[in-house]
Amino acid sequence: MTEGVLLAIFAGLMLGLYALPEKFTKGFKYENTWSLFFLLTMFVVPIIASVTLIDGFVSIFGNMPTDIWIKMGLTSFLWGVGVMMWSKAINHIGLSLGFSLFIGTIILVGSVLPFIEDGLPPTNKLTTILLGLFVVLIGIFANGKAGFIREKVEKANHENKEQKGSMATGILIAVIGGLLATGFSYANAAGRPYLHEASQAAGNAEWITAVAVMFPIFISGGLVMTAYFLWQLTTKKAWGDFKTPAFGKNFVLILVMAFFHYAASALFAFAAYKLGASGNTVGYAIFNTSCVVTAIISGIITKEWVKASPKARKFLYVGLSCMVIGIVIVAYSNSLA
């Protein structure tokens, strides 16, 4: 149990930090960086990793039942749509509130969704899991409140501020996007049993199952993500920005981002397996919460909150504390009989 919890936390840590190299790219617009990122992380890295590491790759996926392909493909595609909707929600309600609503929805719904495939755990375990999720959500929304206060002050201090869309529309987009993005959790729960059995039969190590599970998830989810950013490159006329002397350096930095993003997701899948019967639920909650905690702490370290008001920082610290406590409660639930 301890190994699974630690792996889920480390996976969240990786996901919370994967975008850090983006700060060091030069000469690229937002669309250049993220279109190349999604191309690498959704197609290039998973395909190379899967074909290289999985013995019996063709046989395993060639014999995968059609219903599993449909479940994984459809819900992974919805995951991709959800992520794109989140990026749109930010235009309406800002990064902090959009991030909190999106991740809050993912943690609440995505942690419960695997019960459809796995069945409900014993009452005492289920009650403890739900209690931990409730505490995590208090932390998520306290963090959102902190960000909302901070953004309101920053907006008031800038006369030439960007006009944002409707708050109600942004909230709706963020929540619907979060609901769709939980497809990642369901796809993992739906595909892992078959892929684990087939991978083991082919003589692969246990951890290879995580690589196998990520293959259909990333390919399906990548279709919508990559298509969206290719369209953005065209509409923003950013194709020419790839022609920069810093392209080589940028490519390496973005490749590192892609590897960490993919590795974090695969590591979560392995952590879920190690956590046992309720691993999809417990692991997903720990994975996403530790990602948020990592993002918050990195923001504090890089002094993003130095100019924030005392009230905003108070909500931030309360939220951070609640999320840590929630993680501990969810992790403890996995030790219950």
Side-chain angles (χ1 to χ4, degrees), residues 19-27 33 246 249-250 253-254 257:
L20 190 60
E22 187 265 344
K23 294 181 179 292
F24 302 99
T25 58
K26 296 180 179 180
T33 298
K249 177 186 176 182
N250 291 349
L253 289 170
I254 295 170
M257 290 169 56

Side-chain angles (χ1 to χ4, degrees), residues 36 38-50 219 251 255:
L36 182 57
F38 280 118
L39 177 65
L40 292 174
T41 197
M42 293 296 178
F43 297 105
V44 177
V45 174
I47 290 173
I48 293 176
S50 299
I219 297 299
F251 182 87
L255 181 61

Side-chain angles (χ1 to χ4, degrees), residues 4-19 99 260-261 263-269 271 283-296 298 327:
V5 170
L6 292 176
L7 286 172
I9 291 174
F10 186 66
L13 177 67
M14 291 178 67
L15 190 65
L17 295 175
Y18 85 89
F99 188 81
F260 269 77
H261 177 264
S265 301
L267 190 59
F268 150 71
Y284 197 66
I286 295 173
F287 171 59
N288 281 286
T289 306
S290 60
C291 170
V292 177
V293 170
T294 300
I296 293 173
S298 64
I327 281 183

Side-chain angles (χ1 to χ4, degrees), residues 115 120-132 278 282 329-337:
F115 290 149
L120 291 175
T123 303
N124 61 334
K125 179 177 286 190
L126 177 61
T127 302
T128 307
I129 289 173
L130 294 178
L131 175 62
S278 300
V282 174
I329 294 174
V330 172
Y332 170 72
S333 73
N334 210 55
S335 68
L336 299 176

Side-chain angles (χ1 to χ4, degrees), residues 116-155:
I116 296 175
E117 291 288 328
D118 301 336
L120 291 175
T123 303
N124 61 334
K125 179 177 286 190
L126 177 61
T127 302
T128 307
I129 289 173
L130 294 178
L131 175 62
L133 291 176
F134 178 72
V135 175
V136 167
L137 286 175
I138 292 175
I140 291 288
F141 285 105
N143 174 45
K145 179 67 173 178
F148 189 73
I149 295 171
R150 174 188 160 189
E151 288 176 348
K152 186 176 181 180
V153 172
E154 290 177 348
K155 185 177 180 181

Side-chain angles (χ1 to χ4, degrees), residues 23 96 102 128-129 175 206 236 244 253 275 288 306 316:
K23 294 181 179 292
S96 297
F102 180 75
T128 307
I129 289 173
V175 172
E206 283 187 342
K236 300 293 178 63
T244 170
L253 289 170
L275 285 166
N288 281 286
V306 168
L316 182 71

